[in-house]
Every structure is written in structure tokens, then in C-alpha cells.
Amino acid sequence: MRTLYLDCSMGAAGDMLMGALYSLLPEEEQRNFIKRFGEMGLPEVELQVSRDMKCGIAGTHMSVVVHGTEEDESRAHHHSHRTLDDVCTLIQNLQVSDKVKSDVTAIYQKIAEAESRVHNTSVAEVHFHEVGMLDAIADVTGCAMLMEQLEAERVVVSPINVGQGQVTCAHGVLSVPAPATVILLEDMLCYGGDVEGELCTPTGAALLSYYKTECGPMPVMKMEQVGYGSGKKDYPVANVLRAILGESTQETSPVVEICCNIDDMTGEEIGFACELLLQEGALEVYTTAVEMKKNRPGILLTVLCSQEQVEYMEKLLLQHTSTIGLRKRQWDRTSLKRESRQVTFSLGQVNVKVSTGYGVTKQKVEYDDLRNIAGEHGLSLRQVKEVLYQETGIGKGE
């Protein structure tokens, strides 16, 4: 599986990520990227690429020049503000692929949602400061173009060093990481480290949050290319973001199986327990008919969960079933990468689960959506599926 690993031990900013991704390209493709960047239609914006040294490590420094001056995320008070609609309009007019437009728009939607939570306002009322400037739009769009070009199926992000101390921005002096950055990094692995300063910017956080498929240490992979993107500042530690591109031969993750035998609960009680376990985050819950001692029919109740969930799932099983003992073992699970997308057709809208990897793509329409549409239109499930397949090509054979 084509895998991209991002080492964020010195945080992340838009220019650092763009420089690291750019460094992964062959020289001819690098020239092609610079040409396409210059022709995409951002007004008065120029991209300058140079080699830089950080603590003896050669990296790529990407300078976005706007009106002849290199911009900086920390200089927001010198510039006008933009709404999300302004940014989206600008993005839709760029000469880039539809995928890049979609990615950049989605990234700015994430930023707007984070800012709206910070300032307790609606997304429509959010006014972008640092991340709304042309340089940040250029950084995000450049990264999106490079991600499309690299075609990584799996993006693993290391624990992110966010730095420490305080940063001056449009709203005054704030603690590091900035409030919007904290929200954008929710569900990701982060730490403060010993370096004084803002190492992870809002732009960098939004890009990592959007493109990552998982967080953690570098996976087992065959490394093919490595690239370094240099930051603007100098620290005692090399201020670079490292990107490694290669092939991971296997995608496995540990999963724990917890099971127990039950012969003195009703079907309703077992059903209730199974539903509760799924609602609380179990990966899978199922029952198997077994024959127990004294020839009594019984149920083998099995729960699959992550290592982090084991203690909680054990507690739920002991609370909501009649068992007095549990068994557990760990398995390595190989799985396809999964994502959900919405598809609209003449009868309504359905969610489609798309699973990819190992050269395989599988699509499955959510049953609840099909059932609801069938009920609304007085049709059978088969009729709904036929219309969906005729109009979208999705759902054949289900």
C-alpha cells in the first residue's frame, strides 16, 4: 500500500509540509509543479523554492510571495479579513482539478468550524485572519496539489510537537497551541516538548487533520523517498518536517476478542447487551449457539474491541450479562481503509461505505438509508437498489 509518513517532531506549518512533499517528487515533476502552481490563478502570488540548512540538514524552503513580499501567518493585523464564502469563491475559480478544489474547500471548512467554536459564532460569520491570507491559501492549495500527485493511500502522522509558550496573533497574546489549533488537532497525538514557540500553526494542523488516515509511529514500510520541508525560524533543533514515501506491505492493527458463555439469559436481555456494547464503541459483537455442560443449549457472546477499550468492555459485559467470567485473546487484524461518502439520486440521498487497499475497492450502501427511502416511496428494497444502480452505478449485486 502506497504509504506517506509525516514526522512532525518539530510541528507543522503549511510551507513546511509543502516543502517536504515537493522534495519527494522527481526533478522533472518538481518543475511541472512549479509551472502548474504559477498558472492556477492566485492573484499577485509567486512561489519561490530554495534549499535551506537547519542544523546541518538540507531541506526545501517554500516562500509564498504576495505583492512582492513574503507573507507570514503571524502578521494578520496588516491584512484585510475574508469570510468562508470569500475563500470558497476564490478556490472555485482556481485552475486546478476538481479534487484539489474539493480538498481545499473541505480544509477551510474545518478551519471555519474550529474558529466558530473558539469565538462562539456561526461559520458564516467567521472572519479569517492568519489562515485567510493569500499565502495560507497558496500553502493549502499547493499541499493539496502535491497530495493528489503523490497518490498516497495511507497517511500516517507522527505525534505532533506543538511547542510551548505564547504567540502573538490578531486577537492578542495567546498560549501555544492557539485555540483553533487545539480544536483542529482533536483526536490526534500531540505533545509540548522543550522548544519555545508555536511549532504547529492552524494551517499545518488543518492539513494534518484532513489528510491523515492514522496517527502513530512510523509503520513497517519499504522507504523509497524522503523529503525535508524547512520552517522559517531557527531553533537548537533542526526545524524541519520530514516526509517519507514508500510501500507498506501489510496493514495490521491489534484487536482483542473477549468472550463468555451464557445459558441463563433471555433473548431480549442478550439483544439489549449486544446493542449497548456496540453503542459504546465495540468493533463487533456477535453470538454463536453452543452446547454447554449438562447438555444445556447456550450462547457464546463475542466482543471485538481495541486494546484501549478492553477494560471498559469487560466492565459492561460483567454488568449487563449473567456471566461470572470472561476470556480474552489478541489478534492482528488486516483491514481495508474505510471512508463514507454521500450519494444523491432521484429518490433521495444515501451514505456509501467505500473500502480500499491492496488493489481492491468495495462499496456498500447503508441499509438504514435504503430502508428509509423504501418506506417513504412505498417501494421494495430491490426497487430502490435498482434505481440507485441505474442512475449511479452503485449497488449492483447487493
Side-chain angles (χ1 to χ4, degrees):
M1 177 178 287
R2 195 70 167 162
T3 299
L4 174 66
Y5 175 65
L6 299 175
D7 178 358
C8 303
S9 55
M10 278 299 287
D15 59 343
M16 294 172 70
L17 181 58
M18 181 161 50
L21 297 176
Y22 172 86
S23 300
L24 297 174
L25 298 176
E27 189 172 325
E28 183 177 345
E29 292 186 26
Q30 289 179 345
R31 289 194 294 268
N32 182 47
F33 169 76
I34 297 298
K35 182 176 183 294
R36 290 189 297 117
F37 188 97
E39 295 173 348
M40 71 176 171
L42 270 179
E44 301 296 331
V45 171
E46 179 188 355
L47 182 63
Q48 297 179 353
V49 182
S50 61
R51 296 294 284 172
D52 193 14
M53 296 293 291
K54 299 292 183 183
C55 297
I57 296 177
T60 300
H61 179 62
M62 309 295 272
S63 301
V64 175
V65 177
V66 181
H67 302 299
T69 304
E70 183 176 357
E71 298 291 284
D72 190 305
E73 286 190 56
S74 65
R75 296 163 55 195
H77 54 280
H78 294 298
H79 303 279
S80 61
H81 300 161
R82 289 183 171 87
T83 66
L84 179 61
D85 283 345
D86 294 332
V87 173
C88 290
T89 299
L90 180 60
I91 293 166
Q92 291 307 310
N93 289 327
L94 296 179
Q95 300 303 307
V96 294
S97 71
D98 289 341
K99 183 182 187 314
V100 170
K101 289 180 182 179
S102 175
D103 287 349
V104 177
T105 301
I107 290 167
Y108 267 91
Q109 179 70 35
K110 289 175 71 74
I111 297 172
E113 290 170 358
E115 292 285 356
S116 70
R117 286 173 56 184
V118 170
H119 302 299
N120 193 29
T121 187
S122 68
V123 169
E125 294 174 310
V126 168
H127 285 78
F128 291 104
H129 302 291
E130 294 91 340
V131 291
M133 299 305 100
L134 287 172
D135 66 307
I137 297 173
D139 286 341
V140 173
T141 306
C143 287
M145 293 167 65
L146 289 164
M147 288 296 293
E148 180 184 44
Q149 194 166 349
L150 292 169
E151 297 183 320
E153 301 172 86
R154 182 185 184 192
V155 180
V156 183
V157 177
S158 77
I160 303 162
N161 187 351
V162 297
Q164 60 171 305
Q166 296 179 321
V167 61
T168 301
C169 67
H171 297 287
V173 179
L174 301 173
S175 296
V176 171
T181 303
V182 172
I183 294 173
L184 289 164
L185 292 177
E186 286 178 349
D187 300 324
M188 301 187 73
L189 302 176
C190 306
Y191 64 100
D194 300 323
V195 178
E196 188 84 14
E198 183 186 32
L199 299 186
C200 188
T201 68
T203 305
L207 285 161
L208 294 177
S209 174
Y210 181 75
Y211 281 111
K212 63 96 178 171
T213 58
E214 59 194 273
C215 298
M218 180 178 169
V220 177
M221 61 186 291
K222 180 181 179 182
M223 295 184 288
E224 296 175 356
Q225 288 101 22
V226 59
Y228 293 89
S230 299
K232 292 183 175 70
K233 298 181 179 179
D234 291 315
Y235 295 103
V237 183
N239 186 22
V240 295
L241 188 154
R242 180 168 62 176
I244 300 174
L245 187 66
E247 291 287 334
S248 56
T249 57
Q250 190 177 34
E251 184 172 358
T252 63
S253 58
V255 62
V256 178
E257 176 188 275
I258 310 172
C259 55
C260 59
N261 290 14
I262 299 169
D263 64 359
D264 55 354
M265 289 178 67
T266 66
E268 290 89 349
E269 291 170 335
I270 292 174
F272 174 81
C274 291
E275 290 178 3
L276 178 66
L277 289 161
L278 286 170
Q279 289 172 2
E280 292 301 309
L283 299 173
E284 186 63 89
V285 180
Y286 59 92
T287 60
T288 308
V290 296
E291 185 174 321
M292 298 174 61
K293 61 185 179 183
K294 301 179 182 179
N295 297 320
R296 290 182 298 196
I299 291 294
L300 172 63
L301 177 57
T302 303
V303 178
L304 298 180
C305 65
S306 66
Q307 290 176 313
E308 295 78 17
Q309 294 174 304
V310 170
E311 185 176 349
Y312 183 51
M313 290 297 154
E314 289 179 328
K315 179 181 177 181
L316 291 177
L317 278 166
L318 293 171
Q319 284 181 339
H320 296 282
T321 72
S322 60
T323 189
I324 58 174
L326 304 170
R327 304 181 300 278
K328 61 185 175 185
R329 55 182 171 176
Q330 181 173 306
W331 300 93
D332 281 335
R333 182 179 67 158
T334 299
S335 60
L336 300 178
K337 174 188 172 184
R338 305 168 195 176
E339 62 181 7
S340 182
R341 62 186 180 93
Q342 290 186 331
V343 174
T344 301
F345 69 121
S346 61
L347 297 178
Q349 190 175 72
V350 294
N351 289 291
V352 180
K353 183 166 64 178
V354 183
S355 303
T356 57
Y358 300 91
V360 173
T361 299
K362 300 180 180 180
Q363 297 186 110
K364 178 71 175 179
V365 183
E366 292 292 345
Y367 164 75
D368 287 346
D369 295 338
L370 293 173
R371 179 192 61 190
N372 293 339
I373 290 174
E376 291 173 5
H377 295 274
L379 301 172
S380 68
L381 283 176
R382 180 173 295 277
Q383 288 173 314
V384 176
K385 290 179 182 179
E386 288 176 352
V387 174
L388 176 64
Y389 176 65
Q390 289 172 0
E391 295 182 6
T392 68
I394 296 173
K396 183 179 181 180
E398 291 186 7

